[in-house]
Amino acid sequence: QSALTQPASVSGSPGQSITISCSGSSSDIGDYNYVSWYQQHPGKAPKLMIYDVSKRPSGVSNRFSGSKSDNTASLTISGLQAEDEADYFCCSYAGRSTFVLFGGGTKLTVL
Amino acid sequence: EVQLVESGGGLVQPGGSLRLSCAASGFTFSGYWMHWVRQVPGGGLVWVSRINSDGSTTTYADSVNGRFTISRDNAKSTLYLQMISLRAEDTAVYYCARGAPGDSVWFDPWGQGTLVTVSS
């Protein structure tokens, strides 16, 4: 199976909202509610931001939200802040043989 | 504080071997699935392998199956990844990550990563 598809880059101004899409198939995103999103700043480890499509771990700002429709998952960040500038990766369970697929990552630039 | 610290990375020649370690602290290590995920510098994340809480079940990505072996020592709260027959395409930062409890699938937290470079 191929990696999930994300836009290479998105940008927004402080205070605005942006949405990052993550396109998969009926064998991964479309078949399971196990989509997660990770934030990664340069030189740092990935950090879990959203799990089970739309749940936020303790400590993650409520400006981050997740959703899913058919074979596409989305991460929305509202009230953009400079500290949100980072790479974002989606991930989906894809069955017992493949286990999980990650997206190629989206670089968010806060203008 | 829940923490994962990887070690063991370095420069190795093609065909060589390396063993990575991941020391866990701040949680009951023996109660969780553990995973290895790798990232080519500047690139995306790729899941590599996983092991269940008592070490009796392991799974591998096709790209490493037969060459990598995941294991754990619950008494030492340490996860391992033995890598043999290394190839240039195995060059990456290797992260260990704790798996989700129950039936869900996510990774939290992640270690800081250890760089493996396969080159002559």
Side-chain angles (χ1 to χ4, degrees), chain B residues 101-117:
Chain B
D103 293 332
S104 189
V105 180
W106 38 264
F107 309 102
D108 179 63
W110 300 55
Q112 86 289 350
T114 186
L115 177 62
V116 172
T117 303

mmCIF file of all heavy atoms in Angstrom, chain B residues 101-117:
data_model
loop_
_atom_site.group_PDB
_atom_site.id
_atom_site.type_symbol
_atom_site.label_atom_id
_atom_site.label_comp_id
_atom_site.label_asym_id
_atom_site.label_seq_id
_atom_site.Cartn_x
_atom_site.Cartn_y
_atom_site.Cartn_z
ATOM 1 N N PRO B 101 -2.995 2.164 24.290
ATOM 2 C CA PRO B 101 -3.605 1.097 25.082
ATOM 3 C C PRO B 101 -4.869 0.595 24.396
ATOM 4 O O PRO B 101 -5.460 1.289 23.568
ATOM 5 C CB PRO B 101 -3.925 1.794 26.409
ATOM 6 C CG PRO B 101 -4.138 3.221 26.027
ATOM 7 C CD PRO B 101 -3.197 3.489 24.884
ATOM 8 N N GLY B 102 -5.258 -0.594 24.700
ATOM 9 C CA GLY B 102 -6.495 -1.124 24.138
ATOM 10 C C GLY B 102 -6.420 -1.359 22.645
ATOM 11 O O GLY B 102 -5.382 -1.718 22.106
ATOM 12 N N ASP B 103 -7.526 -1.141 21.960
ATOM 13 C CA ASP B 103 -7.632 -1.472 20.537
ATOM 14 C C ASP B 103 -7.233 -0.331 19.610
ATOM 15 O O ASP B 103 -7.197 -0.504 18.406
ATOM 16 C CB ASP B 103 -9.058 -1.893 20.199
ATOM 17 C CG ASP B 103 -9.431 -3.202 20.873
ATOM 18 O OD1 ASP B 103 -8.520 -4.006 21.118
ATOM 19 O OD2 ASP B 103 -10.628 -3.400 21.160
ATOM 20 N N SER B 104 -6.971 0.839 20.160
ATOM 21 C CA SER B 104 -6.668 1.974 19.289
ATOM 22 C C SER B 104 -5.254 1.885 18.734
ATOM 23 O O SER B 104 -4.454 1.032 19.145
ATOM 24 C CB SER B 104 -6.850 3.276 20.060
ATOM 25 O OG SER B 104 -6.774 4.374 19.183
ATOM 26 N N VAL B 105 -4.956 2.765 17.787
ATOM 27 C CA VAL B 105 -3.644 2.763 17.143
ATOM 28 C C VAL B 105 -3.119 4.183 17.070
ATOM 29 O O VAL B 105 -3.609 4.997 16.278
ATOM 30 C CB VAL B 105 -3.721 2.167 15.720
ATOM 31 C CG1 VAL B 105 -2.332 2.182 15.071
ATOM 32 C CG2 VAL B 105 -4.273 0.758 15.751
ATOM 33 N N TRP B 106 -2.160 4.498 17.918
ATOM 34 C CA TRP B 106 -1.447 5.767 17.858
ATOM 35 C C TRP B 106 -0.148 5.621 18.632
ATOM 36 O O TRP B 106 0.072 4.585 19.253
ATOM 37 C CB TRP B 106 -2.283 6.940 18.390
ATOM 38 C CG TRP B 106 -3.153 6.698 19.583
ATOM 39 C CD1 TRP B 106 -4.478 6.383 19.589
ATOM 40 C CD2 TRP B 106 -2.780 6.770 20.960
ATOM 41 N NE1 TRP B 106 -4.946 6.241 20.864
ATOM 42 C CE2 TRP B 106 -3.932 6.482 21.733
ATOM 43 C CE3 TRP B 106 -1.581 7.041 21.635
ATOM 44 C CZ2 TRP B 106 -3.923 6.477 23.131
ATOM 45 C CZ3 TRP B 106 -1.575 7.039 23.016
ATOM 46 C CH2 TRP B 106 -2.744 6.756 23.747
ATOM 47 N N PHE B 107 0.704 6.628 18.546
ATOM 48 C CA PHE B 107 2.043 6.550 19.115
ATOM 49 C C PHE B 107 2.295 7.773 20.006
ATOM 50 O O PHE B 107 2.262 8.897 19.548
ATOM 51 C CB PHE B 107 3.098 6.512 17.999
ATOM 52 C CG PHE B 107 2.823 5.469 16.942
ATOM 53 C CD1 PHE B 107 2.279 5.830 15.723
ATOM 54 C CD2 PHE B 107 3.096 4.141 17.174
ATOM 55 C CE1 PHE B 107 2.011 4.876 14.751
ATOM 56 C CE2 PHE B 107 2.832 3.176 16.215
ATOM 57 C CZ PHE B 107 2.292 3.551 14.997
ATOM 58 N N ASP B 108 2.554 7.511 21.284
ATOM 59 C CA ASP B 108 2.798 8.601 22.219
ATOM 60 C C ASP B 108 3.321 8.080 23.542
ATOM 61 O O ASP B 108 2.697 7.199 24.133
ATOM 62 C CB ASP B 108 1.487 9.359 22.481
ATOM 63 C CG ASP B 108 1.670 10.505 23.471
ATOM 64 O OD1 ASP B 108 2.436 11.442 23.141
ATOM 65 O OD2 ASP B 108 1.072 10.461 24.551
ATOM 66 N N PRO B 109 4.488 8.570 23.994
ATOM 67 C CA PRO B 109 5.322 9.561 23.333
ATOM 68 C C PRO B 109 6.314 8.905 22.368
ATOM 69 O O PRO B 109 6.277 7.689 22.197
ATOM 70 C CB PRO B 109 6.070 10.201 24.501
ATOM 71 C CG PRO B 109 6.291 9.035 25.423
ATOM 72 C CD PRO B 109 5.041 8.182 25.301
ATOM 73 N N TRP B 110 7.170 9.746 21.808
ATOM 74 C CA TRP B 110 8.267 9.291 20.958
ATOM 75 C C TRP B 110 9.580 9.650 21.642
ATOM 76 O O TRP B 110 9.670 10.645 22.358
ATOM 77 C CB TRP B 110 8.221 9.992 19.603
ATOM 78 C CG TRP B 110 6.974 9.778 18.806
ATOM 79 C CD1 TRP B 110 5.683 10.010 19.177
ATOM 80 C CD2 TRP B 110 6.907 9.318 17.451
ATOM 81 N NE1 TRP B 110 4.822 9.719 18.154
ATOM 82 C CE2 TRP B 110 5.545 9.298 17.078
ATOM 83 C CE3 TRP B 110 7.856 8.928 16.494
ATOM 84 C CZ2 TRP B 110 5.106 8.890 15.808
ATOM 85 C CZ3 TRP B 110 7.436 8.529 15.234
ATOM 86 C CH2 TRP B 110 6.069 8.505 14.899
ATOM 87 N N GLY B 111 10.598 8.856 21.364
ATOM 88 C CA GLY B 111 11.929 9.223 21.829
ATOM 89 C C GLY B 111 12.500 10.326 20.951
ATOM 90 O O GLY B 111 11.859 10.759 19.986
ATOM 91 N N GLN B 112 13.708 10.753 21.251
ATOM 92 C CA GLN B 112 14.333 11.839 20.496
ATOM 93 C C GLN B 112 14.950 11.356 19.191
ATOM 94 O O GLN B 112 15.300 12.155 18.335
ATOM 95 C CB GLN B 112 15.410 12.547 21.351
ATOM 96 C CG GLN B 112 16.794 11.928 21.315
ATOM 97 C CD GLN B 112 16.890 10.593 22.054
ATOM 98 O OE1 GLN B 112 15.962 10.185 22.765
ATOM 99 N NE2 GLN B 112 18.016 9.905 21.925
ATOM 100 N N GLY B 113 15.060 10.044 19.042
ATOM 101 C CA GLY B 113 15.572 9.455 17.811
ATOM 102 C C GLY B 113 17.077 9.212 17.844
ATOM 103 O O GLY B 113 17.825 9.885 18.566
ATOM 104 N N THR B 114 17.507 8.235 17.060
ATOM 105 C CA THR B 114 18.936 7.956 16.903
ATOM 106 C C THR B 114 19.202 7.742 15.418
ATOM 107 O O THR B 114 18.458 7.026 14.741
ATOM 108 C CB THR B 114 19.375 6.735 17.752
ATOM 109 O OG1 THR B 114 20.791 6.587 17.686
ATOM 110 C CG2 THR B 114 18.721 5.439 17.278
ATOM 111 N N LEU B 115 20.239 8.384 14.903
ATOM 112 C CA LEU B 115 20.525 8.379 13.469
ATOM 113 C C LEU B 115 21.360 7.168 13.086
ATOM 114 O O LEU B 115 22.415 6.915 13.664
ATOM 115 C CB LEU B 115 21.261 9.659 13.070
ATOM 116 C CG LEU B 115 21.703 9.765 11.609
ATOM 117 C CD1 LEU B 115 20.501 9.729 10.676
ATOM 118 C CD2 LEU B 115 22.520 11.044 11.402
ATOM 119 N N VAL B 116 20.871 6.444 12.096
ATOM 120 C CA VAL B 116 21.606 5.324 11.513
ATOM 121 C C VAL B 116 21.997 5.705 10.093
ATOM 122 O O VAL B 116 21.138 6.059 9.281
ATOM 123 C CB VAL B 116 20.746 4.046 11.499
ATOM 124 C CG1 VAL B 116 21.438 2.938 10.721
ATOM 125 C CG2 VAL B 116 20.434 3.594 12.919
ATOM 126 N N THR B 117 23.283 5.657 9.810
ATOM 127 C CA THR B 117 23.782 5.980 8.476
ATOM 128 C C THR B 117 24.479 4.756 7.910
ATOM 129 O O THR B 117 25.435 4.242 8.501
ATOM 130 C CB THR B 117 24.769 7.154 8.512
ATOM 131 O OG1 THR B 117 24.132 8.296 9.104
ATOM 132 C CG2 THR B 117 25.230 7.515 7.109
#
